[in-house]
Amino acid sequence: MRSNLMKEGASRAPHRSLLKALGITDAEMKRPFVAVVSSKSDYIPGHTHLDTITKAVEAGIRNAGGVPFTFNTIGVCDGLAMNHKGMKYSLCSRELIADSIEVMLTAHPMDAAVFIPNCDKVVPGMLMAACRMNIPSIFVSGGPMMPGTSGKRRLSLTDMFEAVGSCAAGRMDESEMNELENKACPGCGSCSGMFTANSMNCLTEVIGMALPGNGTIPAVEAARIRLAKETGEQVMTLLKKNIRPLDILTPAAFENALRADMAIGCSSNTVLHVTALSYAAGCPISLEFIDSIGKSTPQICKLSPASEVFLTDLNEVGGIQAMLKELDCAGLIHRDILTVNGTVGERFSKAPDADGTVICRLDNPFRQDGGIAILFGNLASEGAVVKQGAVKPEMMVHSGPARVFDSEEEANDAILGGKINSGDVVVIRYEGPKGGPGMREMLSPTANIAGMGLDDSVALITDGRFSGATRGASIGHVSPEAASCGVIALVQEGDMISIDIPNRKLELLVDEETLASRRPLWTAPAQSLSGYAKRYAQHVTSGSTGAVFDDMI
């Protein structure tokens, strides 16, 4: 056992003495030690209940003969960090989470691990750490929040961000906004739509690192507690069989995850995180490959914010496993590969058939291709990402004059100040991985555009990224970014920009000679960075490579 490094032999008597100070008995000393890694905190709604999940996991480990040891990681709530300096530290936290887990599990050798994430960067950070450590591991999330309700209307956090724009446009008064404020987020769990946290928890289930139900069982249901207990028991089976993360995270498993990503219309952030995880697992995937999967995978689920269907609805019709079962009917799923409990096919064989409404049948999908598209062109030679499943039909092809802003704050002021007109293409730059630094989410600008009723006529492009709660013609991850003198840095006010999502094109309609004349005049805005943000900016790579650190490429 790996834990014998700190508990076996005469030379480890001091170590055993310290373990006995924790209350570990001689009998327990002979059992496997299992890490329980939780992102519990008191100020993130998705994490506030994770102590309950943790206790259930610990009980499951003990039931199956192991000894649990729990420690916590950091976590950032993107909603609370949105639209201020805090968002610069959200994506940055992914690498810190992975690093801190590596430190803990190397300094204190454990035989296996259970990971308990719930929100955006915690899930991929923990998955990356699981790859690095490669000890028998399994995940169980805290589960999604229930949707809020106002009369017969169901709500999510998207409604709150869009209410800000609606108030600014005079389409809603402050008393209405206050009513929504009290109802949109009714309790614990990851925000209720197919936002980034729920997207990543669903994909963790698909890729085989969590038990069925991980992505969709609501946070408040007893079924979530039972799932956590079963997860604690199952990690001991993985230990007995010596099944490790890198046995599960194969190219075929990544393809399954991408198929599911396209089929359920996940957050565009999944492109960053699945790409980063593929590097950690030693089987890197490209944006071109991701787009090829998108072109050949129909979207069969359309969830909030793209519709009024929520994760709870998907759960009630069979969840992720029922969706995989339907995709398998077209031969789109690798069914005979390993997961934490049997093969992919064995797991979804027990699921119900697609209901035809929440999960469309393949002969009547929401769209023939997937929910995410990768665009290329002179404005994004390395690629850009759009959640096309949440774009209105009239904005799938659009041309308009650039309205250029060098920060999110400048763009927000212009949007709320009524300075953006129908047909415009809002360009927000110097918000990329290096330029931000940290690749902030542009939920406030996109929500303000939607809230003001402009999402059917205004597009937004950025070298930053978007929350899963964003909808509309919002194109992010533009690479190379402005801070690296990508073409987005050379755009000038009034330049025409052409967006053609069906044909995967993003073009600045300015000739190469003009761009060449602008390039020598370009200088990056001065940054005053310190601490972790400074180190992050020095080592982070392009959004096209998942914004991983340079030592992973």
Side-chain angles (χ1 to χ4, degrees):
M1 291 190 293
R2 190 170 177 270
S3 61
N4 285 344
L5 288 170
M6 62 180 180
K7 68 182 184 180
E8 188 176 72
S11 66
R12 296 300 186 255
H15 305 64
R16 291 192 296 273
S17 180
L18 287 168
L19 290 167
K20 286 181 177 181
L22 298 173
I24 299 299
T25 67
D26 286 330
E28 287 176 317
M29 206 77 72
K30 298 173 183 177
R31 299 173 190 163
F33 283 8
V34 180
V36 180
V37 188
S38 170
S39 56
K40 155 73 180 175
S41 77
D42 288 340
Y43 59 90
I44 302 178
H47 298 186
T48 188
H49 65 305
L50 293 189
D51 50 355
T52 304
I53 302 292
T54 299
K55 288 175 183 176
V57 167
E58 292 172 341
I61 291 168
R62 290 194 181 95
N63 287 348
V67 182
F69 291 82
T70 296
F71 69 91
N72 289 3
T73 68
I74 63 168
V76 172
C77 173
D78 280 22
L80 294 174
M82 196 69 66
N83 196 25
H84 60 83
K85 182 180 178 180
M87 181 50 72
K88 293 178 182 287
Y89 287 81
S90 173
L91 183 59
C92 297
S93 72
R94 185 185 70 187
E95 270 55 41
L96 274 180
I97 290 163
D99 288 349
S100 66
I101 294 168
E102 177 188 349
V103 167
M104 287 294 286
L105 293 184
T106 304
H108 316 107
M110 295 281 141
D111 302 303
V114 179
F115 294 90
I116 308 175
N118 216 33
C119 289
D120 297 19
K121 311 312 165 297
V122 183
V123 188
M126 286 185 174
L127 283 165
M128 291 163 70
C131 289
R132 291 186 200 175
M133 302 312 301
N134 202 32
I135 60 177
S137 301
I138 191 170
F139 281 64
V140 59
S141 75
M145 183 185 293
M146 299 296 288
T149 58
S150 179
K152 293 183 179 180
R153 179 186 176 191
R154 294 196 296 173
L155 308 169
S156 75
L157 186 63
T158 298
D159 295 283
M160 288 314 309
F161 277 98
E162 292 185 2
V164 176
S166 294
C167 275
R171 304 171 73 206
M172 177 186 292
D173 61 36
E174 288 194 15
S175 65
E176 292 175 283
M177 184 165 66
N178 183 253
E179 181 183 353
L180 294 183
E181 177 183 325
N182 289 315
K183 295 180 176 179
C185 298
C188 67
S190 47
C191 296
S192 56
M194 186 53 81
F195 310 150
T196 305
N198 287 327
S199 295
M200 289 306 302
N201 286 327
C202 287
L203 295 188
T204 303
E205 178 180 337
V206 173
I207 211 165
M209 287 298 294
L211 294 176
N214 180 70
T216 58
I217 296 174
V220 296
E221 289 191 1
R224 176 62 57 177
I225 304 301
R226 294 194 297 272
L227 183 72
K229 195 173 293 185
E230 291 163 0
T231 298
E233 293 170 347
Q234 188 63 24
V235 76
M236 299 304 294
T237 300
L238 294 172
L239 177 59
K240 183 178 179 181
K241 295 181 177 180
N242 195 29
I243 296 173
R244 303 176 183 228
L246 297 185
D247 299 323
I248 294 171
L249 296 171
T250 62
F254 278 99
E255 186 172 332
N256 281 351
L258 291 170
R259 294 282 183 196
D261 193 335
M262 299 299 174
I264 58 180
C266 286
S267 163
S268 58
N269 279 317
T270 58
V271 174
L272 279 176
H273 299 322
V274 173
T275 303
L277 179 59
S278 75
Y279 279 101
C283 47
I285 55 179
S286 67
L287 292 188
E288 289 85 354
F289 178 72
I290 292 173
D291 195 50
S292 72
I293 295 294
K295 288 177 178 177
S296 58
T297 308
Q299 184 175 356
I300 58 174
C301 295
K302 202 175 189 70
L303 302 170
S304 171
S307 78
E308 295 182 1
V309 177
F310 289 84
L311 265 291
T312 49
D313 303 313
L314 179 58
N315 187 64
E316 291 193 5
V317 298
I320 292 300
Q321 298 305 312
M323 179 274 300
L324 290 176
K325 186 177 182 180
E326 183 64 18
L327 287 183
D328 183 63
C329 293
L332 295 175
I333 296 298
H334 295 283
R335 56 182 299 140
D336 296 325
I337 60 175
L338 193 63
T339 76
V340 291
N341 68 325
T343 67
V344 169
E346 287 168 345
R347 296 192 339 162
F348 67 61
S349 67
K350 304 168 188 174
D353 294 338
D355 69 310
T357 301
V358 176
I359 305 173
C360 291
R361 296 187 178 89
L362 288 169
D363 59 3
N364 186 33
F366 286 106
R367 54 183 306 121
Q368 294 294 334
D369 57 354
I372 291 175
I374 310 297
L375 311 185
F376 293 94
N378 69 341
L379 197 47
S381 59
E382 294 177 6
V385 180
V386 61
K387 187 174 179 177
Q388 63 172 342
V391 178
K392 289 186 174 181
E394 56 267 41
M395 291 300 292
M396 293 294 285
V397 177
H398 178 76
S399 291
R403 305 297 308 281
V404 183
F405 304 97
D406 287 348
S407 71
E408 176 188 4
E409 288 81 2
E410 290 178 18
N412 256 333
D413 289 346
I415 295 165
L416 293 175
K419 298 177 181 178
I420 301 302
N421 304 309
S422 178
D424 286 348
V425 178
V426 175
V427 177
I428 307 178
R429 60 192 181 190
Y430 300 108
E431 292 287 6
K434 288 183 179 294
M439 208 175 184
R440 284 196 290 183
E441 289 184 344
M442 303 291 117
L443 176 56
S444 289
T446 60
N448 290 334
I449 287 170
M452 298 180 81
L454 293 172
D455 57 317
D456 59 356
S457 61
V458 170
L460 186 150
I461 70 170
T462 180
D463 52 8
R465 59 193 179 90
F466 299 110
S467 165
T470 285
R471 60 186 177 91
S474 304
I475 300 164
H477 309 198
V478 170
S479 301
E481 63 175 293
S484 298
C485 197
V487 171
I488 191 172
L490 307 179
V491 180
Q492 294 185 1
E493 187 81 4
D495 285 350
M496 293 298 291
I497 292 175
S498 172
I499 299 164
D500 186 346
I501 297 173
N503 290 306
R504 308 299 200 257
K505 292 290 185 181
L506 180 62
E507 297 282 350
L508 177 64
L509 302 181
V510 173
D511 62 77
E512 284 300 317
E513 184 179 348
T514 301
L515 292 178
S517 69
R518 292 177 184 179
R519 191 166 277 113
L521 305 176
W522 172 83
T523 55
Q527 290 181 305
S528 179
L529 301 177
S530 61
Y532 181 58
K534 182 176 182 178
R535 295 196 300 275
Y536 183 88
Q538 290 170 342
H539 294 289
V540 70
T541 62
S542 169
S544 64
T545 51
V548 296
F549 280 176
D550 46 23
D551 62 358
M552 290 183 65
I553 303 293

